[in-house]
Amino acid sequence: MILLCGGEKDSQDRDIKKAKGYWQAYQEKMSKKLRNHEEVVIEQLRNPEMAKAYLDVALEEYEQDGDLAFFLEALQNVAQARSGITRQNLYRDLSPEGNPELRTISLILHNLGYRLSVQPIQ
């Protein structure tokens, strides 16, 4: 908030216009810097190592609490980031309501450059 006091009427009007201009410029600058969370996640998941780590964490979460929806959402995010497949198509194929088969998950992972593997519990 800017508080303008004193001065002549002409200078007050000029100062108010100047302050409004500064505020508008600030808002435009900040709107270019701010992005929503989903945009940032998708951008980061374009990196294959980041995508792999993200899927690893999602699988670990699934092992701990059995929340398949979380893993499927992570797979959707990686597929969207790395392949450009639309979210609508992925949702249809990977939604918990769609009951995705292991074959579907494996095919999507393969197309992204990953594969399912088995590792000993540590």
Side-chain angles (χ1 to χ4, degrees), residues 51-61 71 119:
K52 181 190 177 305
Y54 182 69
L55 290 172
D56 283 343
V57 169
L59 273 175
E60 288 173 11
E61 290 290 319
F71 172 72
Q119 298 179 358

Side-chain angles (χ1 to χ4, degrees), residues 2 4 11 18-19 22 28 30 32 34 41 43 50 53 55 65 71-73 81-82 85 95 98 102 105 108 120:
I2 300 173
L4 303 171
S11 67
K18 191 184 242 184
Y22 289 145
E28 288 173 9
M30 292 310 294
K32 291 177 184 175
L34 299 176
V41 169
E43 181 180 304
M50 183 69 86
L55 290 172
D65 61 18
F71 172 72
L72 295 176
E73 182 178 347
R82 306 267 329 276
I85 299 172
S95 72
L102 184 59
I105 294 170
I108 291 170

Side-chain angles (χ1 to χ4, degrees), residues 49-102:
E49 293 169 3
M50 183 69 86
K52 181 190 177 305
Y54 182 69
L55 290 172
D56 283 343
V57 169
L59 273 175
E60 288 173 11
E61 290 290 319
Y62 170 70
E63 286 179 342
Q64 290 177 3
D65 61 18
D67 185 4
L68 181 60
F70 180 74
F71 172 72
L72 295 176
E73 182 178 347
L75 186 55
Q76 286 176 6
N77 289 338
V78 171
Q80 183 179 3
R82 306 267 329 276
S83 69
I85 299 172
T86 65
R87 186 170 264 306
Q88 184 178 10
N89 289 341
L90 289 169
Y91 184 79
R92 183 186 63 237
D93 294 339
L94 294 176
S95 72
E97 294 79 23
N99 195 20
E101 297 179 357
L102 184 59

Side-chain angles (χ1 to χ4, degrees), residues 33-45:
K33 288 185 176 185
L34 299 176
R35 299 180 297 164
N36 71 33
H37 178 262
E38 186 175 325
E39 289 174 355
V40 174
V41 169
I42 296 300
E43 181 180 304
Q44 291 178 346
L45 292 178

Side-chain angles (χ1 to χ4, degrees), residues 20-32:
K20 285 181 178 179
Y22 289 145
W23 178 248
Q24 186 176 10
Y26 172 78
Q27 287 180 315
E28 288 173 9
K29 183 178 179 182
M30 292 310 294
S31 70
K32 291 177 184 175

